[in-house]
Amino acid sequence: MNSQWAIITGGASGIGLAIAQDLAGQGVNLVLIDVHAHAFEAIQAEFQALGVQCLCHQADVTQIAALQAVQDDLAQRGITARLLVTAAGILQPVEDIADFDLAVHERVWRVNYDGTYHACKVWLEPMRAAGQGAILVVSSIMAYRSSPLLAYAPAKAALNSLVAGLAVSAAADGVRINAIAPGFTLTKGLQQQIDSGQRDSSRVLSFIPMKRFVTTDEVARTARFLLSDDASAITGITLPVDCGWLAGTGWVTFKELP
Ligand SMILES: NC(=O)c1ccc[n+]([C@@H]2O[C@H](COP(=O)([O-])OP(=O)(O)OC[C@H]3O[C@@H](n4cnc5c(N)ncnc54)[C@H](O)[C@@H]3O)[C@@H](O)[C@H]2O)c1
């Protein structure tokens, strides 16, 4: 992977940043795209110290023109990215459909689904033309089970379907497209929610067979695997990284987790 370029949406924090840090450790140069620019300077300094190049772009993934502008900038610099990670995403409040604001519903779909679709639309073609590339979409375990997240979960399920469809369309062109479905992952955001009492961590942990949260490093290492040649025969899948949460959902119907 050394000296390749990877584009990461949502790369300024959480899972996207962890994937960027992991890839930087492999010598991969990075193009980070995020709607929030406040962390860019510190991130660039961190990656410079590791000896990899890092370009940061403030852009909103819901605006395809903004992503195309990033691609135009890369083309001007003579940079061709063979790796794309779509990690930009937002959560939603737990609401009944009667109370769920349509504008919030639309924004969750726009960022989580359209944002990834836009990135694939901009970067899949150059990869196909080059005859090589790997795309990794950050989905969620919520895609697989019933939940009160009435926009977030369906948007993530739609992403899994998109990944399978695009993977087939690009397979003969040498481009692989996969997704990961993280379980409850201990990002700074989740830690803040726990600390402020918005999230009951003991309730969440009681449904996780491994009795702990996923770490961002574990998600990043799985992402690295799917992006690497070690996964050269894998395309069109969504791989859960969830400390057993999906397996445990059937079990808890009968008895508490051991
Ligand atoms: N943390 C978890 O437990 C968990 C579990 C499953 C899936 N995920 C998914 O992982 C991804 C990353 O989430 P995270 O938990 O690291 O959250 P995070 O908030 O730390 O990271 C998300 C990043 O996306 C950026 N972003 C948001 N809207 C954007 C937009 N319109 N355009 C560009 N960038 C935008 C944010 O600024 C932020 O830097 C998301 O897709 C999320 O759905 C997270």
PDB file of all heavy atoms in Angstrom, residues 10 12-16 34-36 59-62 87-90 107 111-112 138-140 152 156 182-185 187, ligand 1:
ATOM      1  N   GLY A  10     -15.269  12.168   5.727  1.00  0.00           N
ATOM      2  CA  GLY A  10     -15.453  12.074   7.175  1.00  0.00           C
ATOM      3  C   GLY A  10     -14.148  11.724   7.870  1.00  0.00           C
ATOM      4  O   GLY A  10     -14.137  11.114   8.943  1.00  0.00           O
ATOM      5  N   ALA A  12     -11.930  13.560   9.374  1.00  0.00           N
ATOM      6  CA  ALA A  12     -11.380  14.449  10.406  1.00  0.00           C
ATOM      7  C   ALA A  12     -11.654  13.977  11.829  1.00  0.00           C
ATOM      8  O   ALA A  12     -11.141  14.565  12.785  1.00  0.00           O
ATOM      9  CB  ALA A  12     -11.928  15.868  10.220  1.00  0.00           C
ATOM     10  N   SER A  13     -12.474  12.926  11.976  1.00  0.00           N
ATOM     11  CA  SER A  13     -12.684  12.433  13.351  1.00  0.00           C
ATOM     12  C   SER A  13     -13.159  10.988  13.353  1.00  0.00           C
ATOM     13  O   SER A  13     -13.451  10.415  12.301  1.00  0.00           O
ATOM     14  CB  SER A  13     -13.688  13.326  14.110  1.00  0.00           C
ATOM     15  OG  SER A  13     -15.000  12.995  13.757  1.00  0.00           O
ATOM     16  N   GLY A  14     -13.201  10.419  14.539  1.00  0.00           N
ATOM     17  CA  GLY A  14     -13.791   9.101  14.764  1.00  0.00           C
ATOM     18  C   GLY A  14     -13.219   8.002  13.887  1.00  0.00           C
ATOM     19  O   GLY A  14     -12.004   7.868  13.715  1.00  0.00           O
ATOM     20  N   ILE A  15     -14.113   7.212  13.320  1.00  0.00           N
ATOM     21  CA  ILE A  15     -13.721   6.032  12.536  1.00  0.00           C
ATOM     22  C   ILE A  15     -12.951   6.436  11.280  1.00  0.00           C
ATOM     23  O   ILE A  15     -11.945   5.810  10.932  1.00  0.00           O
ATOM     24  CB  ILE A  15     -14.986   5.199  12.195  1.00  0.00           C
ATOM     25  CG1 ILE A  15     -15.485   4.494  13.470  1.00  0.00           C
ATOM     26  CG2 ILE A  15     -14.717   4.206  11.077  1.00  0.00           C
ATOM     27  CD1 ILE A  15     -16.830   3.793  13.330  1.00  0.00           C
ATOM     28  N   GLY A  16     -13.387   7.491  10.606  1.00  0.00           N
ATOM     29  CA  GLY A  16     -12.682   7.944   9.397  1.00  0.00           C
ATOM     30  C   GLY A  16     -11.246   8.328   9.706  1.00  0.00           C
ATOM     31  O   GLY A  16     -10.306   7.953   8.984  1.00  0.00           O
ATOM     32  N   ASP A  34     -13.846  16.598   4.808  1.00  0.00           N
ATOM     33  CA  ASP A  34     -14.749  16.692   5.957  1.00  0.00           C
ATOM     34  C   ASP A  34     -15.456  18.038   5.916  1.00  0.00           C
ATOM     35  O   ASP A  34     -14.896  19.035   5.462  1.00  0.00           O
ATOM     36  CB  ASP A  34     -13.997  16.532   7.287  1.00  0.00           C
ATOM     37  CG  ASP A  34     -14.895  15.991   8.395  1.00  0.00           C
ATOM     38  OD1 ASP A  34     -15.772  16.758   8.859  1.00  0.00           O
ATOM     39  OD2 ASP A  34     -14.750  14.803   8.768  1.00  0.00           O
ATOM     40  N   VAL A  35     -16.668  18.057   6.431  1.00  0.00           N
ATOM     41  CA  VAL A  35     -17.425  19.313   6.482  1.00  0.00           C
ATOM     42  C   VAL A  35     -16.861  20.240   7.563  1.00  0.00           C
ATOM     43  O   VAL A  35     -17.023  21.449   7.498  1.00  0.00           O
ATOM     44  CB  VAL A  35     -18.934  19.000   6.674  1.00  0.00           C
ATOM     45  CG1 VAL A  35     -19.253  18.610   8.105  1.00  0.00           C
ATOM     46  CG2 VAL A  35     -19.807  20.129   6.196  1.00  0.00           C
ATOM     47  N   HIS A  36     -16.196  19.657   8.569  1.00  0.00           N
ATOM     48  CA  HIS A  36     -15.580  20.445   9.635  1.00  0.00           C
ATOM     49  C   HIS A  36     -14.060  20.481   9.450  1.00  0.00           C
ATOM     50  O   HIS A  36     -13.421  19.439   9.350  1.00  0.00           O
ATOM     51  CB  HIS A  36     -15.913  19.854  11.011  1.00  0.00           C
ATOM     52  CG  HIS A  36     -17.361  19.964  11.344  1.00  0.00           C
ATOM     53  ND1 HIS A  36     -18.148  18.867  11.647  1.00  0.00           N
ATOM     54  CD2 HIS A  36     -18.180  21.039  11.389  1.00  0.00           C
ATOM     55  CE1 HIS A  36     -19.393  19.280  11.864  1.00  0.00           C
ATOM     56  NE2 HIS A  36     -19.434  20.584  11.709  1.00  0.00           N
ATOM     57  N   ALA A  59     -15.376  20.030   2.658  1.00  0.00           N
ATOM     58  CA  ALA A  59     -16.445  19.843   1.664  1.00  0.00           C
ATOM     59  C   ALA A  59     -17.579  19.051   2.298  1.00  0.00           C
ATOM     60  O   ALA A  59     -17.364  18.238   3.192  1.00  0.00           O
ATOM     61  CB  ALA A  59     -15.903  19.090   0.445  1.00  0.00           C
ATOM     62  N   ASP A  60     -18.779  19.323   1.798  1.00  0.00           N
ATOM     63  CA  ASP A  60     -19.979  18.633   2.272  1.00  0.00           C
ATOM     64  C   ASP A  60     -20.305  17.531   1.263  1.00  0.00           C
ATOM     65  O   ASP A  60     -20.548  17.820   0.082  1.00  0.00           O
ATOM     66  CB  ASP A  60     -21.124  19.658   2.366  1.00  0.00           C
ATOM     67  CG  ASP A  60     -22.396  19.062   2.932  1.00  0.00           C
ATOM     68  OD1 ASP A  60     -22.600  17.828   2.829  1.00  0.00           O
ATOM     69  OD2 ASP A  60     -23.213  19.827   3.470  1.00  0.00           O
ATOM     70  N   VAL A  61     -20.344  16.283   1.711  1.00  0.00           N
ATOM     71  CA  VAL A  61     -20.551  15.163   0.786  1.00  0.00           C
ATOM     72  C   VAL A  61     -21.929  15.169   0.138  1.00  0.00           C
ATOM     73  O   VAL A  61     -22.149  14.458  -0.844  1.00  0.00           O
ATOM     74  CB  VAL A  61     -20.306  13.794   1.468  1.00  0.00           C
ATOM     75  CG1 VAL A  61     -18.844  13.607   1.843  1.00  0.00           C
ATOM     76  CG2 VAL A  61     -21.228  13.596   2.674  1.00  0.00           C
ATOM     77  N   THR A  62     -22.847  15.961   0.687  1.00  0.00           N
ATOM     78  CA  THR A  62     -24.172  16.018   0.053  1.00  0.00           C
ATOM     79  C   THR A  62     -24.125  16.836  -1.234  1.00  0.00           C
ATOM     80  O   THR A  62     -25.077  16.817  -2.010  1.00  0.00           O
ATOM     81  CB  THR A  62     -25.248  16.623   0.996  1.00  0.00           C
ATOM     82  OG1 THR A  62     -24.933  17.990   1.244  1.00  0.00           O
ATOM     83  CG2 THR A  62     -25.326  15.862   2.305  1.00  0.00           C
ATOM     84  N   ALA A  87     -16.618   7.449   5.038  1.00  0.00           N
ATOM     85  CA  ALA A  87     -16.945   7.346   6.476  1.00  0.00           C
ATOM     86  C   ALA A  87     -17.806   8.507   6.957  1.00  0.00           C
ATOM     87  O   ALA A  87     -18.269   8.483   8.094  1.00  0.00           O
ATOM     88  CB  ALA A  87     -15.659   7.280   7.303  1.00  0.00           C
ATOM     89  N   ALA A  88     -18.014   9.532   6.120  1.00  0.00           N
ATOM     90  CA  ALA A  88     -18.835  10.671   6.561  1.00  0.00           C
ATOM     91  C   ALA A  88     -20.231  10.168   6.887  1.00  0.00           C
ATOM     92  O   ALA A  88     -20.854   9.471   6.079  1.00  0.00           O
ATOM     93  CB  ALA A  88     -18.889  11.740   5.475  1.00  0.00           C
ATOM     94  N   GLY A  89     -20.714  10.509   8.060  1.00  0.00           N
ATOM     95  CA  GLY A  89     -22.044  10.058   8.446  1.00  0.00           C
ATOM     96  C   GLY A  89     -22.535  10.832   9.649  1.00  0.00           C
ATOM     97  O   GLY A  89     -21.730  11.414  10.392  1.00  0.00           O
ATOM     98  N   ILE A  90     -23.856  10.872   9.811  1.00  0.00           N
ATOM     99  CA  ILE A  90     -24.438  11.512  10.998  1.00  0.00           C
ATOM    100  C   ILE A  90     -25.461  10.568  11.613  1.00  0.00           C
ATOM    101  O   ILE A  90     -26.089   9.781  10.911  1.00  0.00           O
ATOM    102  CB  ILE A  90     -25.100  12.880  10.673  1.00  0.00           C
ATOM    103  CG1 ILE A  90     -26.113  12.751   9.517  1.00  0.00           C
ATOM    104  CG2 ILE A  90     -24.036  13.929  10.366  1.00  0.00           C
ATOM    105  CD1 ILE A  90     -26.933  14.019   9.291  1.00  0.00           C
ATOM    106  N   ARG A 107     -31.951  14.982   5.857  1.00  0.00           N
ATOM    107  CA  ARG A 107     -30.512  15.256   6.037  1.00  0.00           C
ATOM    108  C   ARG A 107     -29.736  13.955   6.336  1.00  0.00           C
ATOM    109  O   ARG A 107     -28.633  13.748   5.820  1.00  0.00           O
ATOM    110  CB  ARG A 107     -30.315  16.276   7.181  1.00  0.00           C
ATOM    111  CG  ARG A 107     -28.876  16.684   7.419  1.00  0.00           C
ATOM    112  CD  ARG A 107     -28.319  17.568   6.312  1.00  0.00           C
ATOM    113  NE  ARG A 107     -26.885  17.802   6.453  1.00  0.00           N
ATOM    114  CZ  ARG A 107     -26.085  18.262   5.486  1.00  0.00           C
ATOM    115  NH1 ARG A 107     -26.569  18.583   4.300  1.00  0.00           N
ATOM    116  NH2 ARG A 107     -24.803  18.432   5.697  1.00  0.00           N
ATOM    117  N   VAL A 111     -26.706  12.782   3.919  1.00  0.00           N
ATOM    118  CA  VAL A 111     -25.299  12.602   4.320  1.00  0.00           C
ATOM    119  C   VAL A 111     -24.908  11.127   4.211  1.00  0.00           C
ATOM    120  O   VAL A 111     -23.908  10.787   3.569  1.00  0.00           O
ATOM    121  CB  VAL A 111     -25.054  13.115   5.754  1.00  0.00           C
ATOM    122  CG1 VAL A 111     -23.605  12.821   6.181  1.00  0.00           C
ATOM    123  CG2 VAL A 111     -25.354  14.611   5.854  1.00  0.00           C
ATOM    124  N   ASN A 112     -25.704  10.253   4.821  1.00  0.00           N
ATOM    125  CA  ASN A 112     -25.288   8.850   4.937  1.00  0.00           C
ATOM    126  C   ASN A 112     -25.386   8.092   3.612  1.00  0.00           C
ATOM    127  O   ASN A 112     -24.475   7.328   3.279  1.00  0.00           O
ATOM    128  CB  ASN A 112     -26.111   8.129   6.005  1.00  0.00           C
ATOM    129  CG  ASN A 112     -25.815   8.651   7.398  1.00  0.00           C
ATOM    130  OD1 ASN A 112     -24.673   8.818   7.779  1.00  0.00           O
ATOM    131  ND2 ASN A 112     -26.845   8.952   8.166  1.00  0.00           N
ATOM    132  N   VAL A 138     -18.435   2.755   4.933  1.00  0.00           N
ATOM    133  CA  VAL A 138     -18.705   2.510   6.360  1.00  0.00           C
ATOM    134  C   VAL A 138     -20.220   2.479   6.565  1.00  0.00           C
ATOM    135  O   VAL A 138     -20.895   3.500   6.509  1.00  0.00           O
ATOM    136  CB  VAL A 138     -18.033   3.563   7.262  1.00  0.00           C
ATOM    137  CG1 VAL A 138     -18.322   3.234   8.730  1.00  0.00           C
ATOM    138  CG2 VAL A 138     -16.524   3.589   7.012  1.00  0.00           C
ATOM    139  N   SER A 139     -20.724   1.262   6.757  1.00  0.00           N
ATOM    140  CA  SER A 139     -22.149   1.052   6.997  1.00  0.00           C
ATOM    141  C   SER A 139     -22.379   0.974   8.507  1.00  0.00           C
ATOM    142  O   SER A 139     -21.708   1.678   9.275  1.00  0.00           O
ATOM    143  CB  SER A 139     -22.581  -0.227   6.280  1.00  0.00           C
ATOM    144  OG  SER A 139     -23.941  -0.495   6.492  1.00  0.00           O
ATOM    145  N   SER A 140     -23.268   0.124   8.948  1.00  0.00           N
ATOM    146  CA  SER A 140     -23.534  -0.025  10.391  1.00  0.00           C
ATOM    147  C   SER A 140     -24.290  -1.325  10.633  1.00  0.00           C
ATOM    148  O   SER A 140     -25.061  -1.775   9.775  1.00  0.00           O
ATOM    149  CB  SER A 140     -24.382   1.145  10.897  1.00  0.00           C
ATOM    150  OG  SER A 140     -24.888   0.859  12.184  1.00  0.00           O
ATOM    151  N   TYR A 152     -31.599   6.576   9.747  1.00  0.00           N
ATOM    152  CA  TYR A 152     -30.202   6.091   9.777  1.00  0.00           C
ATOM    153  C   TYR A 152     -30.110   4.617   9.358  1.00  0.00           C
ATOM    154  O   TYR A 152     -29.320   4.262   8.475  1.00  0.00           O
ATOM    155  CB  TYR A 152     -29.651   6.283  11.191  1.00  0.00           C
ATOM    156  CG  TYR A 152     -28.213   5.848  11.383  1.00  0.00           C
ATOM    157  CD1 TYR A 152     -27.164   6.728  11.109  1.00  0.00           C
ATOM    158  CD2 TYR A 152     -27.897   4.580  11.862  1.00  0.00           C
ATOM    159  CE1 TYR A 152     -25.836   6.333  11.291  1.00  0.00           C
ATOM    160  CE2 TYR A 152     -26.583   4.183  12.051  1.00  0.00           C
ATOM    161  CZ  TYR A 152     -25.559   5.061  11.775  1.00  0.00           C
ATOM    162  OH  TYR A 152     -24.248   4.671  11.955  1.00  0.00           O
ATOM    163  N   LYS A 156     -28.376   3.031   5.942  1.00  0.00           N
ATOM    164  CA  LYS A 156     -27.231   2.114   5.985  1.00  0.00           C
ATOM    165  C   LYS A 156     -27.563   0.806   5.257  1.00  0.00           C
ATOM    166  O   LYS A 156     -26.700   0.233   4.583  1.00  0.00           O
ATOM    167  CB  LYS A 156     -26.823   1.838   7.432  1.00  0.00           C
ATOM    168  CG  LYS A 156     -26.254   3.068   8.172  1.00  0.00           C
ATOM    169  CD  LYS A 156     -24.932   3.529   7.579  1.00  0.00           C
ATOM    170  CE  LYS A 156     -24.245   4.574   8.459  1.00  0.00           C
ATOM    171  NZ  LYS A 156     -22.987   5.064   7.868  1.00  0.00           N
ATOM    172  N   PRO A 182     -19.656  -1.433  11.430  1.00  0.00           N
ATOM    173  CA  PRO A 182     -19.193  -1.407  12.823  1.00  0.00           C
ATOM    174  C   PRO A 182     -20.363  -1.559  13.790  1.00  0.00           C
ATOM    175  O   PRO A 182     -21.482  -1.106  13.535  1.00  0.00           O
ATOM    176  CB  PRO A 182     -18.567  -0.011  12.974  1.00  0.00           C
ATOM    177  CG  PRO A 182     -18.342   0.485  11.582  1.00  0.00           C
ATOM    178  CD  PRO A 182     -19.419  -0.149  10.757  1.00  0.00           C
ATOM    179  N   GLY A 183     -20.059  -2.213  14.921  1.00  0.00           N
ATOM    180  CA  GLY A 183     -20.991  -2.203  16.038  1.00  0.00           C
ATOM    181  C   GLY A 183     -20.756  -0.932  16.852  1.00  0.00           C
ATOM    182  O   GLY A 183     -20.206   0.049  16.343  1.00  0.00           O
ATOM    183  N   PHE A 184     -21.157  -0.961  18.115  1.00  0.00           N
ATOM    184  CA  PHE A 184     -20.991   0.224  18.967  1.00  0.00           C
ATOM    185  C   PHE A 184     -19.497   0.474  19.172  1.00  0.00           C
ATOM    186  O   PHE A 184     -18.813  -0.316  19.813  1.00  0.00           O
ATOM    187  CB  PHE A 184     -21.707   0.016  20.302  1.00  0.00           C
ATOM    188  CG  PHE A 184     -23.202  -0.015  20.143  1.00  0.00           C
ATOM    189  CD1 PHE A 184     -23.863  -1.223  19.905  1.00  0.00           C
ATOM    190  CD2 PHE A 184     -23.950   1.148  20.187  1.00  0.00           C
ATOM    191  CE1 PHE A 184     -25.242  -1.252  19.718  1.00  0.00           C
ATOM    192  CE2 PHE A 184     -25.330   1.132  20.005  1.00  0.00           C
ATOM    193  CZ  PHE A 184     -25.971  -0.077  19.772  1.00  0.00           C
ATOM    194  N   THR A 185     -19.017   1.554  18.601  1.00  0.00           N
ATOM    195  CA  THR A 185     -17.585   1.816  18.549  1.00  0.00           C
ATOM    196  C   THR A 185     -17.247   3.011  19.416  1.00  0.00           C
ATOM    197  O   THR A 185     -17.891   4.070  19.312  1.00  0.00           O
ATOM    198  CB  THR A 185     -17.158   2.083  17.080  1.00  0.00           C
ATOM    199  OG1 THR A 185     -17.591   0.984  16.284  1.00  0.00           O
ATOM    200  CG2 THR A 185     -15.654   2.235  16.976  1.00  0.00           C
ATOM    201  N   THR A 187     -15.886   5.877  19.958  1.00  0.00           N
ATOM    202  CA  THR A 187     -15.307   7.128  19.445  1.00  0.00           C
ATOM    203  C   THR A 187     -15.404   8.186  20.552  1.00  0.00           C
ATOM    204  O   THR A 187     -16.100   7.977  21.555  1.00  0.00           O
ATOM    205  CB  THR A 187     -16.108   7.617  18.229  1.00  0.00           C
ATOM    206  OG1 THR A 187     -17.469   7.764  18.641  1.00  0.00           O
ATOM    207  CG2 THR A 187     -16.038   6.632  17.072  1.00  0.00           C
TER     208      THR A 187
HETATM  209  N1  LIG B   1     -19.314   5.170  16.280  1.00  0.00           N
HETATM  210  C1  LIG B   1     -20.110   4.121  16.092  1.00  0.00           C
HETATM  211  O1  LIG B   1     -20.498   3.419  17.044  1.00  0.00           O
HETATM  212  C2  LIG B   1     -20.546   3.744  14.693  1.00  0.00           C
HETATM  213  C3  LIG B   1     -21.160   2.492  14.515  1.00  0.00           C
HETATM  214  C4  LIG B   1     -21.547   2.117  13.230  1.00  0.00           C
HETATM  215  C5  LIG B   1     -21.307   2.950  12.159  1.00  0.00           C
HETATM  216  N2  LIG B   1     -20.706   4.156  12.360  1.00  0.00           N
HETATM  217  C6  LIG B   1     -20.474   4.978  11.170  1.00  0.00           C
HETATM  218  O2  LIG B   1     -19.117   5.352  11.117  1.00  0.00           O
HETATM  219  C7  LIG B   1     -18.989   6.567  10.398  1.00  0.00           C
HETATM  220  C8  LIG B   1     -18.154   7.522  11.218  1.00  0.00           C
HETATM  221  O3  LIG B   1     -18.853   7.802  12.416  1.00  0.00           O
HETATM  222  P1  LIG B   1     -18.126   8.201  13.786  1.00  0.00           P
HETATM  223  O4  LIG B   1     -18.824   7.477  14.864  1.00  0.00           O
HETATM  224  O5  LIG B   1     -16.686   8.084  13.628  1.00  0.00           O
HETATM  225  O6  LIG B   1     -18.617   9.712  13.914  1.00  0.00           O
HETATM  226  P2  LIG B   1     -17.812  11.091  13.852  1.00  0.00           P
HETATM  227  O7  LIG B   1     -18.855  12.145  14.023  1.00  0.00           O
HETATM  228  O8  LIG B   1     -16.652  11.069  14.785  1.00  0.00           O
HETATM  229  O9  LIG B   1     -17.252  11.129  12.377  1.00  0.00           O
HETATM  230  C9  LIG B   1     -18.048  11.483  11.268  1.00  0.00           C
HETATM  231  C10 LIG B   1     -17.305  12.515  10.441  1.00  0.00           C
HETATM  232  O10 LIG B   1     -18.099  12.811   9.289  1.00  0.00           O
HETATM  233  C11 LIG B   1     -18.073  14.222   9.108  1.00  0.00           C
HETATM  234  N3  LIG B   1     -19.263  14.638   8.378  1.00  0.00           N
HETATM  235  C12 LIG B   1     -20.537  14.683   8.837  1.00  0.00           C
HETATM  236  N4  LIG B   1     -21.352  15.160   7.885  1.00  0.00           N
HETATM  237  C13 LIG B   1     -20.573  15.416   6.798  1.00  0.00           C
HETATM  238  C14 LIG B   1     -20.838  15.931   5.509  1.00  0.00           C
HETATM  239  N5  LIG B   1     -22.074  16.305   5.146  1.00  0.00           N
HETATM  240  N6  LIG B   1     -19.814  16.068   4.638  1.00  0.00           N
HETATM  241  C15 LIG B   1     -18.540  15.727   5.007  1.00  0.00           C
HETATM  242  N7  LIG B   1     -18.239  15.245   6.229  1.00  0.00           N
HETATM  243  C16 LIG B   1     -19.248  15.089   7.108  1.00  0.00           C
HETATM  244  C17 LIG B   1     -18.042  14.799  10.518  1.00  0.00           C
HETATM  245  O11 LIG B   1     -17.597  16.153  10.526  1.00  0.00           O
HETATM  246  C18 LIG B   1     -17.086  13.834  11.215  1.00  0.00           C
HETATM  247  O12 LIG B   1     -15.743  14.263  11.104  1.00  0.00           O
HETATM  248  C19 LIG B   1     -20.416   7.053  10.136  1.00  0.00           C
HETATM  249  O13 LIG B   1     -20.785   6.725   8.832  1.00  0.00           O
HETATM  250  C20 LIG B   1     -21.231   6.293  11.149  1.00  0.00           C
HETATM  251  O14 LIG B   1     -22.564   6.112  10.711  1.00  0.00           O
HETATM  252  C21 LIG B   1     -20.320   4.568  13.596  1.00  0.00           C
END
